[in-house]
Amino acid sequence: MSPSDIKPASASALACSSTITLSTIGARAWLVEAPGGFDLPSQRRVWSLARLLASGEDVESLIPGVTNLLVLFRQIPPDETAVRARLHAAWEQAQAIHPQGKLIEIPVDYGGEHAIDLDAVCRHTGFSAREVVRRHHQSEYTVFALGSAPGFGYLHGLDPQLATPRKKVPSLSMLKGTVTIGGAQAGVSALTGPNGWNAIGYAELEVFDPLADSPALMAPGDRIRFLPQRIEL
């Protein structure tokens, strides 16, 4: 879809409090942030927005994030007002899409030596360790976006009652494959290194393999199931 295919947004759309928030990132990039919270409908609409903008000849790349989209233009846009109107109009036209992502099942060792923050999650939520594990593995998750580290997937679908704030002091050397909770999100660490998410288990898998045909195990729209392989509480 070229810029001429997108009808200008109306004044009411631009003023609507439920519309997108736009920020410039340097001279050529714009960050489009969806209204609302961390939810699947917003993310599906972000994916739709990316599809609408993908055919624009002046668009160099599109990088979906968690309920946001980074739009990088090939050249510095000459008219900032026109860019804002175009992005608002594209958002108004974007309809939530449902990508048919693959199902990835991840065997997890819950508890044990790598679950260094399981007790903290229990204290925050008021649940027993066994209940935390049960609620975590009974959910199905959706990969919203990849980022932070190569192949790391931000996962939506965590039981809201398991949401636990990220640690104020990160672990300095959390192993890759550690299964974590960070706020309302779940994840599997892609690299060994500093990490502020809460470790509750461990999975023996490669989230990112630079030598593979598809280096990243996960892709936006994929579904994730955690399968208890061992529970050590």
Side-chain angles (χ1 to χ4, degrees):
M1 177 174 286
S2 67
S4 61
D5 293 324
I6 300 175
K7 297 179 180 179
S10 65
S12 59
L14 291 171
C16 180
S17 61
S18 64
T19 194
I20 54 175
T21 299
L22 298 177
S23 306
T24 53
I25 309 295
R28 294 192 295 129
W30 291 71
L31 182 67
V32 182
E33 297 179 83
F38 175 59
D39 60 58
L40 196 51
S42 291
Q43 189 67 29
R44 286 172 171 160
R45 201 166 167 190
V46 165
W47 292 332
S48 175
L49 177 65
R51 183 175 294 182
L52 281 170
L53 296 173
S55 59
E57 294 183 358
D58 58 341
V59 175
E60 180 174 310
S61 63
L62 297 157
I63 304 172
V66 177
T67 64
N68 63 59
L69 177 69
L70 184 66
V71 183
L72 177 63
F73 292 99
R74 297 186 187 278
Q75 298 179 349
I76 299 175
D79 187 341
E80 177 178 320
T81 301
V83 173
R84 289 182 176 275
R86 173 182 173 186
L87 295 176
H88 277 285
W91 178 255
E92 291 301 311
Q93 293 182 33
Q95 300 295 320
I97 59 176
H98 301 260
Q100 297 301 309
K102 61 185 179 294
L103 174 64
I104 302 172
E105 295 183 330
I106 300 177
V108 179
D109 292 341
Y110 284 102
E113 62 177 319
H114 300 305
I116 57 175
D117 303 302
L118 182 55
D119 287 345
V121 174
C122 292
R123 289 194 299 271
H124 180 78
T125 62
F127 294 130
S128 67
R130 192 164 299 277
E131 181 65 6
V132 169
V133 169
R134 185 188 71 81
R135 287 173 178 261
H136 184 269
H137 79 74
Q138 285 195 345
S139 295
E140 181 173 283
Y141 300 83
T142 301
V143 181
F144 267 28
L146 302 183
S148 175
F152 178 77
Y154 291 93
L155 308 183
H156 175 274
L158 182 71
D159 183 322
Q161 295 186 72
L162 289 185
T164 303
R166 301 179 191 186
K167 296 183 289 189
K168 294 182 179 179
V169 180
S171 301
L172 296 181
S173 187
M174 189 179 290
L175 288 180
K176 68 176 181 179
T178 302
V179 177
T180 57
I181 292 173
Q185 302 178 69
V188 181
S189 56
L191 300 173
T192 297
N195 196 314
W197 291 35
N198 300 281
I200 64 170
Y202 179 77
E204 187 70 47
L205 84 166
E206 292 288 342
V207 176
F208 183 79
D209 180 359
L211 300 180
D213 292 337
S214 298
L217 174 67
M218 303 177 189
D222 284 349
R223 294 168 293 126
I224 306 295
R225 294 285 302 185
F226 293 108
L227 308 179
Q229 179 172 259
R230 184 177 66 181
I231 299 177
E232 183 182 342
L233 303 176

